[in-house]
């Protein structure tokens, strides 16, 4: 197994950040021809989504999360900025991990699929993503 840690700075804003190239680089450098790529966020307030990007879907995801999880005072988990509790609920909707197939030494994504880091937590701009490759 090969694991790489990707450091991300969000700039204190909500983000959907495409990390597909970094995942593809880790797969390529691993030499694995057949196996699995696991992407994991070791944070209680961030997630991984496999979605289309660049056509508005990333902004649509942020808007949908804002509709589902408004940044208001309803949250019992109430430290940090207003509505911070919603960021602790988000990983139940956008999980903190994704596992993807590796076929013929390449990440086997669909034509329009990208691996994206999702973070609504504006209180913590420094993040990590663990990218692991397992296989032959």
């Amino acid at each position: 197994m090969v694991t790489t840690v990707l450091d991300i700075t969000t700039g204190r804003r909500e983000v959907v950040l495409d990390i597909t190239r970094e995942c593809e680089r880790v797969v390529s450098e691993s030499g694995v021809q057949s196996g699995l790529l696991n992407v994991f966020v070791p944070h209680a307030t961030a997630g991984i989504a496999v979605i289309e990007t660049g056509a508005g879907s990333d902004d649509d995801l942020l808007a949908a999360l804002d509709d589902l999880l408004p940044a208001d005072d309803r949250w019992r988990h109430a430290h940090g900025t207003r509505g911070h509790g919603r960021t602790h609920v988000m990983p139940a909707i956008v999980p903190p991990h994704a596992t993807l197939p590796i076929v013929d030494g390449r990440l086997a994504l669909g034509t329009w699929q990208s691996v994206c880091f999702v973070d609504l937590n504006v209180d913590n701009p420094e993040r990590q993503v663990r990218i692991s490759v397992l296989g032959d």
Side-chain angles (χ1 to χ4, degrees):
M1 183 167 79
V2 175
T3 298
T4 299
V5 176
L6 176 64
D7 292 313
I8 295 175
T9 301
T10 61
R12 297 199 183 271
R13 61 185 172 84
E14 296 179 357
V15 296
V16 174
L17 181 65
D18 189 339
I19 60 169
T20 307
R21 287 188 182 174
E22 289 86 350
C23 292
E24 290 171 336
R25 178 185 52 78
V26 173
V27 169
S28 176
E29 291 174 0
S30 75
V32 168
Q33 294 298 301
S34 178
L36 296 172
L37 175 87
N38 181 264
V39 185
F40 177 73
V41 179
H43 303 287
T45 58
I48 299 294
V50 179
I51 63 168
E52 178 182 6
T53 60
S57 297
D58 32 2
D59 290 332
D60 288 343
L61 176 56
L62 288 176
L65 290 170
D66 191 50
D67 287 345
L68 289 169
L69 305 168
D72 58 23
D73 294 327
R74 74 182 69 201
W75 307 101
R76 291 185 184 114
H77 187 111
H79 72 83
T81 57
R82 185 171 190 255
H84 177 76
R86 77 190 188 119
T87 67
H88 288 274
V89 174
M90 190 206 65
I93 297 167
V94 179
H97 59 87
T99 301
L100 307 163
I102 299 168
V103 177
D104 296 329
R106 297 180 50 118
L107 196 53
L109 290 169
T111 302
W112 303 111
Q113 289 180 315
S114 295
V115 182
C116 296
F117 168 77
V118 181
D119 190 4
L120 302 181
N121 186 351
V122 298
D123 294 332
N124 189 356
E126 302 301 323
R127 302 307 214 160
Q128 291 186 330
V129 177
R130 292 186 183 138
I131 304 171
S132 300
V133 177
L134 180 65
D136 303 323

